[in-house]
Amino acid sequence: MGPGPPSPGERLASRPPRRLLLALAVWLICLLALAPLVGLALYAFSGAAAEPLDLGPGGLLQLGNTLALLLLVGVLGAILGTTTGWLTASCSFPGRRWLAIAQLLPLATPAYLLAATLVDLGSRNGLRVHGLAWSVLVLTLSTYSYVFLLGSESFAVSGRRQIEAARSLGVGPWGSFRRVALPMALPSIGAGIALSGMEVVNELGAVELLGVPTLSVGILQRWQNDGDPQGAVGLALAALVIVSVLVAAERQLRHRSRRWGMGSPGDRLQPWPLSGWRAALAQVITLSPPLLALGFPLLWAVSSWDQMRGESIDDLIALTLRSFALALLAALLTVAAGLVLAISKRWIPQVLLRRITFLAGMGYAVPGAVLALALMLLGGPWALSPLLLLVWGYADRFLAVAKGGLDAGLERIPPSVDEAATGLGCSWLKVLQRVHLPLLRGPLLVGALLVFVDTVKELPLTFALRPFDFDTLSVRVYQYASDERVGAAMLPALLILLLGLAAAMALVPTLERQRGPH
């Protein structure tokens, strides 16, 4: 029996110049993605630092506050995300479908916007919204959805046989949750906690408005206010150590959750029916977090509507155009880079290249303040434009957002499709243009939307790297909130909120696929 038809990789091997072009593009993208952090490490451990690196005055307090927020937000987010995930995935009660979708709404509200509205509403009613406890509340409401998304997916598809056995032995909903579902979902819940922790370390505006010094606040304060690059780098390295632990934990827990899974979206249990006071309690539990996260900004907007007229429309238009232009450019560059990296996994089966592309996509875990500092250290000697550094930072930070959906989309395209196209004499560029791009239209659009909205909401990178007198919607909301100019902040805040809602709704099909038919 003769040899079978050549694989796509073997066919590409006969066209080394074109394959080389793809490989060069991948290496260039990875170099640009990893250069800032490599430069930060070289600065820290070379003679560039005139003095030994340390946390400096107040550094221990900032580190302690960051760790305290990670612990407290992690615990509360785990409780909230697990509870809402179990109720919407495994129980049946009136409004369950819409309440499941509502758990995505907190993702639309940036933490700094929620903090600003709470501070202003509190000041009007004689309540001082300040300190660690309020920061924990704000960050929990802003990040628990990560735990909900991963936990509910595990509850929806895992452990069917075990739960059926528990039911046959007369074990009720609470017993099934405690003895079977929760232990099997713990890896997914832990991965969600790790993702929320990355957002906690990245947060700048909310903690500064609430008066809680953290590592992100300290990094920019040391660099911009104190002129202390050594102190800023020391805090940045401490933040990188924390996020490295979170990334390692998230990867390990996701791997364990795949081993635990014993079901599929088409292989589901009938949800536990809830009625009476139990159904009412489930509705209250699942409605309260999104209602608080979105309700306070909306209440603030309604109560402050009469103050809106003091804001200049021309200024608002300029802010919007700047924000949209930056976000559109970042979305186009990031999606294009993510597509190249995703395609390279399919067409260049090299272990080293795959590992480098994985590292290049880790920018989302790096706090914005750390990435901003790294880019300033790298671009300063070359006198690079602040706008160039800002767009570079956006693309670096959100590359994983675009690449993740494209990776999943390509995995759903059978290799036989590529085989057929290459058998007709198409190069990888023609296969990409005629086959992959039409089939990846959905992931491309969703990835571009998510990057666009994340860029509009991003505060630490924008605040640190923007040119002088080049504010955006997020920076202006933060500045107005700091100056207690409520009316001027309202329209920029509402625009950010509407864009965040659009991004949250883009995740609804994913949530619906997890649950199957209702």
Side-chain angles (χ1 to χ4, degrees):
M1 184 174 179
S7 67
E10 290 170 341
R11 288 197 178 95
L12 283 174
S14 64
R15 303 179 178 89
R18 291 186 180 276
R19 187 182 181 187
L20 179 62
L21 178 64
L22 178 61
L24 288 175
V26 172
W27 282 106
L28 177 61
I29 292 170
C30 293
L31 175 64
L32 291 174
L34 296 173
L37 295 184
V38 172
L40 181 66
L42 291 176
Y43 179 90
F45 299 109
S46 69
E51 302 175 3
L53 296 174
D54 57 40
L55 297 180
L60 287 178
L61 176 62
Q62 292 160 351
L63 176 60
N65 285 335
T66 302
L67 294 176
L69 285 172
L70 280 172
L71 176 62
L72 295 172
V73 172
V75 171
L76 292 179
I79 295 172
L80 200 55
T82 302
T83 304
T84 54
W86 166 256
L87 289 173
T88 57
S90 304
C91 299
S92 177
F93 53 91
R96 175 176 74 120
R97 179 187 180 190
W98 298 109
L99 288 169
I101 294 174
Q103 307 310 309
L104 301 176
L105 296 181
L107 295 175
T109 310
Y112 59 84
L113 177 56
L114 181 57
T117 58
L118 286 173
V119 168
D120 188 68
L121 290 172
S123 66
R124 298 182 193 180
N125 295 279
L127 176 64
R128 187 168 186 258
V129 178
H130 186 83
L132 185 66
W134 284 101
S135 297
V136 170
L137 174 64
V138 167
L139 292 176
T140 299
L141 289 174
S142 300
T143 62
Y144 85 92
S145 295
Y146 293 104
V147 182
F148 163 78
L149 284 169
L150 295 181
S152 64
E153 179 184 16
S154 179
F155 290 136
V157 302
S158 297
R160 178 178 182 271
R161 296 175 183 174
Q162 288 86 341
I163 295 179
E164 281 183 341
R167 284 184 174 184
S168 67
L169 295 173
V171 178
W174 168 245
S176 296
F177 168 75
R178 182 171 55 87
R179 299 178 187 179
V180 181
L182 180 60
M184 298 186 72
L186 280 177
S188 295
I189 293 169
I193 294 172
L195 288 174
S196 69
M198 296 175 199
E199 293 297 320
V200 170
V201 179
N202 177 65
E203 185 54 44
L204 171 68
V207 291
E208 190 163 10
L209 288 171
L210 296 171
V212 179
T214 62
L215 290 175
S216 287
V217 175
I219 290 169
L220 297 185
Q221 192 175 58
R222 296 286 176 78
W223 177 269
Q224 295 183 333
N225 297 344
D226 301 341
D228 179 15
Q230 288 78 25
V233 171
L235 293 176
L237 293 179
L240 282 178
V241 169
I242 293 174
V243 297
S244 297
V245 172
L246 292 172
V247 169
E250 191 264 347
R251 292 281 298 173
Q252 179 63 23
L253 289 167
R254 276 185 183 269
H255 181 65
R256 288 184 59 192
S257 69
R258 286 196 295 268
R259 294 207 306 265
W260 278 90
M262 296 184 65
S264 67
D267 185 26
R268 301 177 184 276
L269 284 169
Q270 288 297 318
W272 296 96
L274 301 180
S275 59
W277 68 267
R278 291 182 176 85
L281 180 60
Q283 290 171 330
V284 170
I285 291 174
T286 52
L287 179 62
S288 297
L291 186 62
L292 292 174
L294 193 62
F296 280 119
L298 293 179
L299 176 64
W300 170 73
V302 170
S303 63
S304 307
W305 198 257
D306 58 339
Q307 304 178 38
M308 186 185 65
R309 287 171 292 185
E311 172 66 0
S312 168
I313 297 299
D314 292 339
D315 194 28
L316 178 64
I317 292 174
L319 289 172
T320 304
L321 290 177
R322 289 174 197 156
S323 301
F324 273 49
L326 284 174
L328 181 61
L329 180 59
L332 293 175
L333 292 176
T334 305
V335 169
L339 180 62
V340 170
L341 295 186
I343 288 293
S344 71
K345 289 177 60 178
R346 194 176 181 97
W347 288 89
I348 308 179
Q350 295 179 3
V351 176
L352 177 60
L353 201 63
R354 292 192 177 192
R355 290 179 178 175
I356 292 295
T357 56
F358 167 75
L359 291 176
M362 297 305 294
Y364 194 73
V366 179
V370 175
L371 188 56
L373 175 63
L375 285 167
M376 286 188 284
L377 289 171
L378 184 65
W382 296 87
L384 297 180
S385 164
L387 276 178
L388 175 62
L389 294 178
L390 183 57
V391 175
W392 185 354
Y394 288 147
D396 198 347
R397 177 154 166 71
F398 301 127
L399 180 60
V401 176
K403 181 175 176 291
L406 292 170
D407 282 337
L410 279 171
E411 289 174 1
R412 293 193 292 268
I413 302 175
S416 58
V417 174
D418 296 7
E419 296 264 351
T422 52
L424 295 173
C426 294
S427 66
W428 71 268
L429 282 172
K430 289 184 178 179
V431 175
L432 174 64
Q433 179 184 0
R434 298 180 181 180
V435 179
H436 292 158
L437 287 180
L439 294 175
L440 292 174
R441 186 179 292 111
L444 284 169
L445 291 175
V446 172
L449 174 63
L450 293 176
V451 173
F452 182 91
V453 177
D454 279 345
T455 302
V456 172
K457 296 193 299 182
E458 172 64 27
L459 180 61
L461 265 176
T462 313
F463 187 76
L465 294 177
R466 76 194 195 286
F468 177 75
D469 201 23
F470 191 89
D471 292 340
T472 63
L473 290 172
S474 61
V475 171
R476 190 59 63 89
V477 169
Y478 170 67
Q479 290 175 333
Y480 285 158
S482 301
D483 297 339
E484 300 183 358
R485 296 175 59 189
V486 178
M490 184 165 38
L491 278 180
L494 288 176
L495 285 172
I496 293 175
L497 196 61
L498 290 174
L499 287 170
L501 287 172
M505 292 303 100
L507 298 174
V508 170
T510 301
L511 190 65
E512 295 284 88
R513 283 196 298 270
Q514 291 177 7
R515 281 157 177 74
H518 289 268

